[in-house]
Amino acid sequence: MTGSMLVLSYAGFALLATLANLASQRAVLALWPGGLLAALALGTLVGLVVKYWLDRTWIFAGASKARASEAGTFGLYAATGVITTLIFWGFESAAWLIWHSHLAREAGAIAGLAIGYLVKYRLDRRYVFAPARPA
């Protein structure tokens, strides 16, 4: 995959995962208006699973398997996602606390996810989907 195709694909997949995340949050908040933490948690989980599948299948398809199992790869992918999550939750929560508006909350989420995904790509390329090193 060329550099520009990689950037466009990764950005598109980040957008899809973001939409899945926010749609999940909206569903939780529609059923439970006071359930912001539950919405954040479910949205994060849904976005993580969607993004992992897309990254594993398309972005890092040619990378060697550094771990013996898919569960190990997903576990490391999820661990690097902790950084993304902290950035994302920080921006989203700050926007909510400052403006008390769902529009601001979602704008904060989008900003946090965009920054987090840039960081995550670098971590995933280096640690999760890195080619196996010779022994």
Side-chain angles (χ1 to χ4, degrees):
M1 185 180 298
T2 67
S4 59
M5 278 303 296
L6 177 69
V7 169
L8 288 174
S9 296
Y10 193 81
F13 296 157
L15 177 62
L16 289 174
T18 299
L19 292 173
N21 183 319
L22 294 176
S24 300
Q25 286 188 34
R26 283 185 175 197
V28 170
L29 291 171
L31 296 171
W32 183 19
L36 182 60
L37 289 179
L40 287 171
L42 182 66
T44 299
L45 179 62
V46 169
L48 175 70
V49 170
V50 167
K51 190 74 168 68
Y52 173 77
W53 183 80
L54 291 168
D55 283 354
R56 180 79 168 103
T57 303
W58 299 100
I59 301 298
F60 299 108
S64 300
K65 289 186 179 179
R67 276 143 302 286
S69 72
E70 189 72 26
T73 302
F74 181 77
L76 191 53
Y77 185 87
T80 63
V82 168
I83 294 165
T84 300
T85 301
L86 292 174
I87 294 168
F88 152 55
W89 281 2
F91 273 74
E92 184 171 6
S93 298
W96 174 255
L97 292 170
I98 293 167
W99 291 288
H100 298 287
S101 127
H102 287 294
L103 181 62
R105 178 188 57 75
E106 287 187 350
I110 291 166
L113 284 166
I115 293 166
Y117 280 138
L118 289 173
V119 172
K120 184 145 180 47
Y121 173 77
R122 291 181 174 271
L123 291 171
D124 290 342
R125 184 183 66 193
R126 182 165 183 168
Y127 298 109
V128 178
F129 298 107
R133 292 190 175 118

